[in-house]
Amino acid sequence: MTTRSDVRPASATEVLPSSLPPRRHVLDLDDYSIEEIELVMQTTDAMGEVLRRSIRKVPTLQGKTVVTLFYEPSTRTRVSFEQAGKVLSADVINLSIASSSVEKGESLLNTARTLEATQADVIIIRHGASGAPNFLARCIEGSVINAGDGAHAHPTQALLDLYTLRQRLGSIEGAKVAIVGDVLHSRVARSNLWGLAAAGAQVVLCGPPTLLPMDWLRDQHLQGRLASISVTTSINDALDGADAVMTLRLQKERQQDGLIPSLREYARSYQINADRLKLAKTGAPVMHPGPMNEGVEISSEVAHGAASVIEAQVANGVAVRMAVLYLLATGRGEE
Ligand code: NCD
């Protein structure tokens, strides 16, 4: 028989305030308050406890169907959502759709209708087109989690990055976080900006001028947060005294001709390597969302060295995604 205490990981009950509005979708972090981020962090702590048990299974989402709908390749994100759903006892269905067979818009609507008929409770979508998850959220009854859309957003990656930073730094407030690399194409950087700004970090975006999204940074939408964001093309300025370094993948598949002179030149100017890392505070954690181009945006020495928290990011990904799934279920009053 299932008791209440089995269903909820012990400490999650203590962190659920009634004041937060119920959440139906997780599309980006721009609509997350610091209180809601804190709630996700504390719930992740509780989920981490579940993952450390000898039997890693709780019946929280029993009878719920979670569908992963990936129009773009992914290893760690899809697998960690699948694992998160399974630990919480949801039925997890993986739909992998080759991007070549997708006619954007119409075929997504058709897929949404099919999914609607299967009564999926949560759909986790990754799509090459920015805004696809928002479109899906308008079409279906269930919850939608954005697992990365175009260059727009990747909220669960940003939440796991925040969680990892909190583990390493204690508090993020006032911390200088350098985000270095292909910011232009990075949904990870965009979602992290919202989360880090809400958490009170001082964010420095750094990359070659052609890979910095200056138009987006001028967007009215972001203006309220700009006090905590600065932009530089100088890697030395970005790393100087940084409390943490977030390295971004050079998204070769999204490069248009001429944005960077060559991979070698990019590595020479912007690679996070042991020498450059000396500019950051001693022990500053180095992050990377994966997959890495070792030898391009990050040296192998740093990627696998003492400062690297890249494996912790992957491990935290499961607990964070469990927290997000759990909070959606409880937020909708469907525990
Ligand atoms: C990121 C993504 O897909 O946006 N990776 C991930 O989710 N693990 C980052 C990237 O592809 O560069």
Side-chain angles (χ1 to χ4, degrees), residues 58-91:
V58 283
T60 316
L61 296 188
Q62 213 158 49
K64 302 280 179 205
T65 302
V66 172
V67 176
T68 68
L69 181 61
F70 276 57
Y71 289 85
E72 271 191 353
S74 161
T75 321
R76 68 211 82 208
T77 305
R78 199 194 55 70
V79 167
S80 73
F81 268 115
E82 181 176 353
Q83 198 186 343
K86 285 183 171 164
V87 174
L88 294 172
S89 301
D91 294 320

Side-chain angles (χ1 to χ4, degrees), residues 76-77 126 154 157 187-188 249 251 289-291:
R76 68 211 82 208
T77 305
R126 168 167 290 196
H154 194 351
Q157 176 70 41
R187 51 201 179 202
V188 174
R249 183 172 66 87
Q251 301 203 8

